[in-house]
Amino acid sequence: MADGGIPSFKAADLVIELSSTPKPKRDDPAFGNVFTDHMLTIEWSASEGWQAPLIKPFGNLSLHPACSSLHYAIQLFEGLKVYRGDDNQLRLFRPMLNMSRMSNTAERACLPAFDQSEFLECIRRLVELDQDWVPHSDSGSLYIRPTFLGTEQSLGVKKAANALLYVILCPVGSYYNSEAGCLSLWADPKYTRAWKGGTGNFKMGGNYGCSLFAQYEAADHGCQQVLWLYGEDHQITEAGTMNIFLYWINEDGEEELATPPLDGIILPGVTRQSIMELTRKWGEFKVTERYLTMSQLCSALKQLRVKEVFGSGTACMICPVGHILYQGENLHIPCQDKNSQLASRIAKELMDIQRGRTPSDWTLMV
Ligand SMILES: *Cc1c(COP(=O)(O)O)cnc(C)c1O
């Protein structure tokens, strides 16, 4: 038993098998095609509980063709990054928020519980082992992808009696590139990303496979991402796989940074939470979780009350939005002109924390 009383594996039991064929190090501006030398795997079964965690050479998994993740999408993941600071120290950004979100998702997927701190320590050990893979550039980082899947060898639709928790690492380049211009979004209510009572507020793999078709339709309309709308009133919910923020003068004439509330259809982003906490600490404008509809956005645009719209997520951190295609109209959003600097100011403050320039208890040293 771990401290929290949850039967769990323990980092102290880690077994490490080193790779005898380390690969040449490179990073991947395209995201997610280059992997480091090692991976962490932890097996679970209903009869025997958790096995000892294992770090071993990166390689293929062997899965039974009937395994439940392949048939019924009993599968979930997380995404976080480790950053190399100016001081050459490696830092994780608020990793316990990812651990608790992963636990919540596992519960929703009927996968077994684990001790979050023990898991984080195993991840830290993996990163430590593959630390030379963390890019030295100021824009690069090492992406950490914890994954959890049902591996029971049965076609029965039921709780998986076997599961595999594993972690792989990818060196990645920068997503936030102020030169890259502003994101264009396709807003059409014909597809729904998430619904009340569904799984949109959990990082389940199935949510993302289901979104692809709409993503390609957005591309057919010349847009980069989908702006996911919800309900009869076309509520603005998320942009692609990012949370969304509107910085504007609201209906009451107040300067406000607004994002939709966590009411079951919004993924509780670590970046989202950090942006709200950071800007609330500044105390310079109202920071609100509230419903935002397309008609509110359209009238605010007409009255020139919109300052900025941006998406947030670990991959890109902050991504400014420049256009929204809605009901045949291409709405222009002010983006990266001299008067719209909030996105870059937030991005800089978060980056300064991640790179250790601003001391913060939001980082965990590897
Ligand atoms: C992961 C994710 C986000 C962003 O979460 P972060 O913790 O900030 O990376 C936002 N929306 C969706 C749908 C996501 O899957």
Side-chain angles (χ1 to χ4, degrees), residues 179-252:
E179 306 304 306
C182 300
L183 203 63
S184 56
L185 300 176
W186 179 63
D188 191 314
K190 79 188 262 197
Y191 299 108
T192 306
R193 191 196 81 87
W195 47 90
K196 298 274 168 71
T199 58
N201 52 338
F202 298 103
K203 256 180 145 60
M204 302 246 190
N207 294 345
Y208 301 84
C210 291
S211 72
L212 272 186
F213 195 76
Q215 164 64 30
Y216 282 90
E217 196 159 329
D220 288 342
H221 287 89
C223 296
Q224 292 160 294
Q225 296 282 336
V226 179
L227 178 58
W228 299 102
L229 305 179
Y230 185 75
E232 298 292 311
D233 53 352
H234 298 180
Q235 286 166 36
I236 294 167
T237 64
E238 300 212 40
T241 58
M242 293 184 290
N243 295 117
I244 194 159
F245 284 84
L246 170 63
Y247 178 44
W248 68 336
I249 306 297
N250 70 16
E251 309 89 328
D252 301 325

Side-chain angles (χ1 to χ4, degrees), residues 313-325:
T314 295
C316 73
M317 194 130 69
I318 307 269
C319 193
V321 174
H323 289 94
I324 299 175
L325 183 57

